[in-house]
Amino acid sequence: MVVYALVLAAVVATLKYVEYRFMVKSLSTEVYIGVVAALFTGVGVWMGSKLIAAKKVVHVLPDPVVDDQAIRSSGLSARELEVLQLMAEGLSNQEIADKLFISLPTVKSHSSSLYAKLEVKRRTEAVHKAKSLRVIA
Amino acid sequence: MVVYALVLAAVVATLKYVEYRFMVKSLSTEVYIGVVAALFTGVGVWMGSKLIAAKKVVHVLPDPVVDDQAIRSSGLSARELEVLQLMAEGLSNQEIADKLFISLPTVKSHSSSLYAKLEVKRRTEAVHKAKSLRVIA
DNA sequence: CCCTGATCCATACGGAAGGATGATGGAATG
DNA sequence: CATTCCATCATCCTTCCGTATGGATCAGGG
């Protein structure tokens, strides 16, 4: 905003200068308006690109990524989330147990509770829903 | 562009009208310029948002899609691909059988052969690999 | 005409997955 | 201090999954 004010002031000053130098050459008011309009349309496009670009990036980036808010609102615990991610990578319960250094029953326990929280009955279903909710990548 | 020209013409006309009505009230040239500048800055922002938005969309879309070449080189048959896609959506073998109007053993037959072609042993693994190969969305 | 691959189906078996239930210890919260 | 939640493990039981094996039909290519 400060920058915009400065730019506007500078442009106005420049126009005044131009006005004094070329007014004698009978620049009509219509042409004058046209110049100002074209100029500030350009300024507007430039500003818009700057402002909107910043917003666009925010909306574009979270496309194939996880959504922290979705994770929190899912109610899944940290451990359940770990199990879920390994499930999504195609690991069996036993492989998950080995990788996390816990027993197979514990993996089943985690998986059962995460199924309940995601309201699904199968692991493939859980993975699919978790991805659609952006809980996992 | 045509629209822009029309809008500009309309605005200029309006300004001329306003000018004739309020010029007598000693509107300074600086204020006049300011109004025109602010107005067309707005027009510029609007134009910019329209134009840039269109370009952004084009660059965002081609991200999480299937690769036809990958499908062909995977060696999967059309039926196997159908089963695979339904697997990825979290359906059970029985649900897949119902949806495709075939028997459960047939679904198992297809799944077994697609496991072999993808060189995996579990459905979650198959889904994961197929997605990484862009065989399915 | 035979062979191959795709699609379809069946039976049977072992193993993995999922559900039910219960138990323990730790950490956090009120 | 009691309660609650998380994480851990266990056992029993049921269902689902994956594999093996075998067979049927049909289309297309050699």
Side-chain angles (χ1 to χ4, degrees):
Chain A
M1 271 305 154
V2 177
V3 175
Y4 178 62
L6 290 175
V7 170
L8 194 144
V11 173
V12 168
T14 304
L15 285 173
K16 291 298 290 184
Y17 173 72
V18 172
E19 178 181 13
Y20 282 118
R21 287 215 35 190
F22 296 97
M23 208 57 171
V24 289
K25 292 177 182 175
S26 70
L27 259 182
S28 72
T29 310
E30 286 77 11
V31 174
Y32 194 26
I33 292 176
V35 171
V36 174
L39 210 84
F40 276 88
T41 299
V43 172
V45 171
W46 173 77
M47 278 182 57
S49 70
K50 285 289 177 181
L51 296 175
I52 296 174
K55 291 188 175 181
K56 281 290 176 183
V57 169
V58 173
H59 288 304
V60 163
L61 277 181
D63 194 40
V65 200
V66 296
D67 177 7
D68 285 8
Q69 180 54 39
I71 294 178
R72 281 188 290 276
S73 62
S74 70
L76 293 174
S77 73
R79 207 53 160 168
E80 288 162 357
L81 207 56
E82 278 186 284
V83 172
L84 179 57
Q85 287 168 201
L86 295 177
M87 272 182 180
E89 290 171 16
L91 276 66
S92 69
N93 285 340
Q94 186 60 61
E95 288 170 339
I96 295 172
D98 294 344
K99 181 159 285 190
L100 297 181
F101 302 105
I102 57 182
S103 73
L104 200 157
T106 303
V107 175
K108 289 188 174 186
S109 172
H110 289 315
S111 59
S112 282
S113 56
L114 78 85
Y115 293 161
K117 288 176 181 176
L118 290 177
E119 297 177 296
V120 299
K121 294 210 163 295
R122 284 176 292 278
R123 56 172 47 215
T124 47
E125 213 180 331
V127 170
H128 187 245
K129 187 157 190 176
K131 290 203 177 196
S132 73
L133 293 176
R134 304 223 176 282
V135 168
I136 57 176
Chain B
M1 273 306 156
V2 176
V3 174
Y4 177 63
L6 290 175
V7 169
L8 194 143
V11 172
V12 168
T14 304
L15 285 173
K16 291 299 289 183
Y17 171 72
V18 171
E19 179 182 10
Y20 283 118
R21 289 226 18 201
F22 296 97
M23 208 58 171
V24 289
K25 294 177 180 175
S26 72
L27 259 181
S28 72
T29 311
E30 287 79 10
V31 173
Y32 195 25
I33 293 175
V35 171
V36 174
L39 212 82
F40 276 87
T41 300
V43 172
V45 170
W46 173 77
M47 280 182 55
S49 69
K50 287 288 178 183
L51 296 175
I52 294 175
K55 290 189 176 180
K56 284 288 176 184
V57 169
V58 172
H59 287 304
V60 163
L61 277 181
D63 195 36
V65 198
V66 296
D67 178 9
D68 286 8
Q69 180 54 40
I71 294 178
R72 282 187 290 274
S73 62
S74 70
L76 293 174
S77 72
R79 209 52 161 168
E80 288 160 356
L81 207 57
E82 277 186 286
V83 172
L84 178 57
Q85 287 169 198
L86 295 177
M87 272 183 179
E89 291 172 15
L91 276 68
S92 69
N93 285 340
Q94 186 59 61
E95 288 169 340
I96 295 172
D98 295 342
K99 181 159 285 190
L100 297 182
F101 301 104
I102 57 182
S103 74
L104 200 156
T106 303
V107 174
K108 289 187 175 187
S109 172
H110 289 316
S111 59
S112 280
S113 56
L114 77 86
Y115 294 160
K117 289 177 181 177
L118 289 177
E119 297 177 296
V120 298
K121 293 211 162 294
R122 284 176 292 278
R123 58 174 45 215
T124 47
E125 214 180 332
V127 170
H128 187 244
K129 187 157 190 175
K131 288 201 177 197
S132 72
L133 294 175
R134 300 222 177 279
V135 168
I136 57 175

